């Protein structure tokens, strides 16, 4: 299977002489198409730095990040903006929906910008809304929706352009457990039915247990990984808890 993401010897150093933090220290891994990968680690271990480097929001100090074969560490700003818009989908903790647009309009926006035929836009938005279970809120504005509905709308928006890679940083962070479960099930539907590839940072073992594989980061290095394989969610959850115990420190 083709690797959507290849990270090689990634290094990120913050600060300058006398006051430097090595946030990432030689991180390498691959993510094949259609895999749902979780990233876990203690607070300050480098999770967000990793996600921000992969998402091209932050620049790496050394190393390479290939997304569908393109080394994004070599792209200049205009090419980078274009690449981000075409190839990446983002899901943040705080939704980032536009308040003055309905759910339908929020999701359709990414396609409207690329001048897609309105009938194609309509069909595509309806399809994704159905898969994520939010058909009923398409006409609502963000203030009229629950947190979970907003987050699934944000997820629909992230995948409507069919990005190569979906990046999520603590997507369940602001949700109650029922909404979190619905969102995580939506992520599984994105992987199963739309072959989405997801890289998700989370401190929460329940959220992580929905992924196919977990990368554990410690002090900016890849500590270990856990593959779900044939395990059910509960078995995988128990294994995640075991690794967290070995990892030590407060996972946050
Ligand atoms: N902009 C920054 N400037 C300086 N240090 C930073 C910056 N961002 C993160 N760091 C440091 O890099 C390390 C990793 O941070 P981060 O990636 O946010 O960890 P996590 O998301 O796992 O909690 C921490 O020691 C943090 O203090
Ligand atoms: Mg973080």
């Amino acid at each position: 299977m083709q690797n959507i993401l290849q990270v090689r010897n990634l290094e990120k150093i913050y600060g300058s002489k006398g006051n430097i933090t090595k946030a990432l220290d030689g991180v390498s891994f691959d993510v094949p198409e259609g895999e749902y990968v979780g990233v876990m680690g203690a607070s300050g271990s480098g999770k967000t730095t990793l996600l921000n480097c992969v998402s091209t929001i932050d620049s790496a100090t050394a190393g390479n990040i290939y997304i569908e074969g393109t080394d994004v560490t070599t792209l200049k700003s205009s090419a980078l903006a274009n690449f981000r818009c075409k190839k990446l989908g983002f899901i943040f903790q705080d939704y980032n929906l536009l308040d003055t647009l309905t759910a339908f309009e929020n999701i359709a926006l990414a396609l409207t910008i690329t001048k897609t035929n309105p009938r194609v836009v309509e069909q595509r938005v309806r399809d994704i809304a159905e898969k994520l279970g939010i058909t009923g809120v398409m006409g609502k504005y963000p203030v009229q929706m629950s947190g979970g509905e907003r987050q699934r709308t944000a997820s629909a928006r992230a995948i409507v352009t069919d990005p190569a890679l979906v990046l999520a940083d603590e997507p369940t962070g602001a949700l109650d457990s029922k909404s979190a479960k619905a969102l995580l099930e939506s992520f599984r539907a994105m992987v199963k039915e739309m072959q989405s590839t997801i890289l998700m940072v989370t401190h929460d073992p329940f959220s992580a247990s929905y992924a196919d594989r977990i990368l554990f980061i410690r002090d900016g290095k890849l500590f270990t990984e856990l593959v779900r394989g044939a395990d059910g969610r509960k078995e995988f959850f128990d294994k995640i808890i075991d690794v967290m115990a070995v990892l030590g420190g407060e996972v946050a």
Side-chain angles (χ1 to χ4, degrees), residues 11 36 42 51 88 99 105 128 149 156 162 166 228:
E11 218 174 85
Y36 177 6
L51 204 81
L88 303 176
D99 293 333
E105 291 163 343
I128 290 176
E149 288 163 349
D162 197 17
V166 176
R228 179 210 279 263

Side-chain angles (χ1 to χ4, degrees), residues 166-212:
V166 176
L167 300 159
D169 196 352
E170 301 283 1
T172 57
L175 302 181
D176 60 78
S177 62
K178 190 165 158 263
S179 300
K181 199 160 174 280
L183 179 72
L184 294 161
E185 276 160 9
S186 295
F187 282 8
R188 288 235 55 96
M190 282 157 50
V191 170
K192 247 186 112 183
E193 293 173 41
M194 288 170 272
Q195 287 73 49
S196 297
T197 308
I198 305 177
L199 188 66
M200 174 186 81
V201 165
T202 183
H203 72 276
D204 171 31
F206 177 77
S207 297
S209 70
Y210 280 79
D212 297 313

